[in-house]
Amino acid sequence: MVTVRYFAGARAAAGGVSSEDAEAGSIAELAQLLADRHGERLGLVMKSASFLVDGLACHDREAELPAGVTVDVLPPFAGG
């Protein structure tokens, strides 16, 4: 089980949910599970989002997610 926290547009795409628990073994699996749970809009956000796992950037969507971690979903932000 991992804790997922949504920020900015990801939160809006998840229907206003700011945090929830999910069972997933990787970021890719988590992204699919959450898109299935919340719909196509979140699925689109997940394709371009950045992910922090316990505060560290995770660029490998196939990397294993240990149980108990917190995954932050950060959509692309405007500006530089």
Side-chain angles (χ1 to χ4, degrees), residues 27-28 49-53 56-63:
I27 294 289
S50 297
F51 300 92
L52 301 179
V53 177
L56 300 174
C58 181
H59 302 288
D60 180 2
R61 290 182 179 233
E62 298 302 327

Side-chain angles (χ1 to χ4, degrees), residues 8-71:
R11 181 180 295 163
V17 174
S18 61
S19 177
E20 67 181 317
D21 293 330
E23 185 94 26
S26 68
I27 294 289
E29 186 180 320
L30 180 66
Q32 184 62 56
L33 173 88
L34 297 173
D36 291 346
R37 186 181 289 177
H38 293 286
E40 183 179 348
R41 185 172 171 208
L42 183 59
L44 291 173
V45 170
M46 297 299 265
K47 288 181 182 178
S48 59
S50 297
F51 300 92
L52 301 179
V53 177
D54 280 348
L56 300 174
C58 181
H59 302 288
D60 180 2
R61 290 182 179 233
E62 298 302 327
E64 182 179 340
L65 284 178
V69 297
T70 297
V71 178

